[in-house]
Amino acid sequence: MQAQSKAPSTLLVVLAFATVYIVWGSTYFFIQRALAGFPPFFLGAFRFITAGVIMLIWSLLQGENVFSAKAIKPAIITGLLLLFIGNGIVIWVEQFLPSAMVAIMISSSPLWFILLDKPKWSENLSNKSTIVGLLIGFAGVVLLFSEKIMVSMSSLNSSRDLFAMALVVFGSMAWAGGSLYSKYKSGTNSATVNSTWQMLAAGIAFLPGSIISGELTSINFAAIPLDAWLATAYLIVFGSIAGFGAYVWLLKVQPATKVSTYAYVNPVVAVLLGIFFAKESISVLQIVGLMIILGSVLLINLHKYRKPKQVVSAY
């Protein structure tokens, strides 16, 4: 009976996946909008400290055990890996790398989930549909952005941009490692409390960079356009509080490889948002890429539906 009470609601799981898929797919666009008014280190600090304080107040109002050392330590480590290193690299490189190129690099995350998830090696590496699904999904993302990649490759600043691309791959590894650390080390801690300390730790970690680079002394709040403020508000409320909170919760209740499919679906959402709201066109190649990505997500989850659990009696 206890096991049943711990089983997550199917509706909540669907809503959480929808939030991570759709909301995070839109953040590439909003990060670039926010960077039009805010310098990168300050943006990271302001976004995550604000979101963390809001969630801290919410957790206290809900009577959560917020100041537990057992909960704080793993949350700080996870926050630094996911949000400071992983997301911080994305914020920094989007100053000069095309968002399509960043999306391609980030979509390598599911592969790192497989390689770094040692406790699940025997299960994941022996599952053909999962491995094939991950490889096909990455190929689909590359196909989705193939035309933009060809254009952006010709305009890349060789040394600076190649270094930035290597950083994004490192950020993907840090994100996967931090996600797995959160899954295995957070235990029974509340997902809300975990998210609170993860965001506060990351936000504080951004501050030294903002001070050293002179961002804090040079920023002129009156000159920041309204669009940048609105984009930052969206990143705080939807990207951090709703999206990241849903992601941390999913890591606790779902297999990491399944949760990692967000990295394939996010670029799809980003492209669709561009079509519907920015009046961008879509090519046949992109349509094929979209179909391949969706097929890969089905493949990754296929074994969970075709292998019914067997009930074995003790005697």
Side-chain angles (χ1 to χ4, degrees):
M1 297 298 287
Q2 260 185 327
Q4 284 184 337
S5 65
K6 289 181 180 179
S9 158
T10 302
L11 178 61
L12 281 178
V13 171
V14 170
L15 287 174
F17 267 110
T19 301
V20 172
Y21 282 174
I22 297 169
V23 171
W24 276 4
S26 66
T27 54
Y28 293 101
F29 170 78
F30 285 102
I31 286 172
Q32 287 196 322
R33 282 290 181 94
L35 286 171
F38 290 94
F41 287 110
F42 182 85
L43 176 62
F46 180 63
R47 172 187 175 182
F48 292 122
I49 289 176
T50 303
V53 169
I54 292 171
M55 292 198 72
L56 178 63
I57 294 169
W58 172 257
S59 297
L60 290 171
L61 290 174
Q62 295 300 304
E64 300 268 16
N65 185 15
V66 177
F67 300 103
S68 161
K70 191 177 179 182
I72 294 172
K73 183 183 174 182
I76 288 175
I77 294 171
T78 304
L80 293 175
L81 287 170
L82 266 67
L83 301 176
F84 176 61
I85 298 176
N87 195 261
I89 286 173
V90 171
I91 293 173
W92 187 73
V93 301
E94 280 207 24
Q95 295 175 99
F96 39 82
L97 273 189
S99 58
M101 187 68 70
V102 176
I104 289 289
M105 298 291 102
I106 291 295
S107 68
S108 68
S109 294
L111 304 176
W112 295 118
F113 270 86
I114 288 286
L115 295 174
L116 297 176
D117 195 0
K118 190 174 180 181
K120 292 285 184 179
W121 274 358
S122 59
E123 178 184 332
N124 290 333
L125 296 177
S126 64
N127 193 291
K128 291 180 180 177
S129 67
T130 298
I131 299 298
V132 173
L134 288 169
L135 295 174
I136 288 176
F138 184 72
V141 175
V142 172
L143 192 62
L144 180 66
F145 290 110
S146 58
E147 292 159 331
K148 290 185 178 180
I149 291 171
M150 295 307 292
V151 173
S152 59
M153 283 295 283
S154 61
S155 62
L156 287 178
N157 178 313
S158 58
S159 56
R160 183 199 67 185
D161 292 350
L162 286 175
F163 173 71
M165 290 166 68
L167 269 183
V168 177
V169 174
F170 175 72
S172 295
M173 293 172 64
W175 182 276
S179 298
L180 293 169
Y181 185 88
S182 176
K183 182 175 183 66
Y184 295 121
K185 298 295 183 179
S186 61
T188 56
N189 299 331
S190 160
T192 306
V193 173
N194 284 337
S195 300
T196 297
W197 289 112
Q198 286 165 12
M199 285 189 277
L200 286 174
I204 292 169
F206 276 109
L207 285 175
S210 185
I211 295 168
I212 294 168
S213 64
E215 289 179 356
L216 280 180
T217 54
S218 63
I219 190 168
N220 180 4
F221 290 103
I224 296 173
L226 179 61
D227 272 5
W229 281 108
L230 293 175
T232 304
Y234 179 90
L235 290 171
I236 291 168
V237 176
F238 296 99
S240 295
I241 296 174
F244 190 68
Y247 179 75
V248 171
W249 180 75
L250 281 172
L251 284 173
K252 292 170 70 69
V253 300
Q254 294 289 300
T257 49
K258 187 175 179 181
V259 180
S260 74
T261 55
Y262 80 90
Y264 293 155
V265 181
N266 284 174
V268 175
V269 173
V271 168
L272 292 177
L273 286 174
I275 293 165
F276 290 115
F277 295 103
K279 296 182 179 179
E280 295 177 0
S281 58
I282 186 167
S283 67
V284 175
L285 264 181
Q286 286 180 310
I287 293 172
V288 174
L290 291 173
M291 299 303 293
I292 288 174
I293 292 166
L294 295 176
S296 78
V297 174
L298 289 175
L299 263 178
I300 290 166
N301 295 292
L302 186 62
H303 72 284
K304 295 179 179 65
Y305 302 108
R306 70 183 181 191
K307 287 186 179 178
K309 292 182 180 178
Q310 292 182 335
V311 179
V312 181
S313 57
Y315 297 99

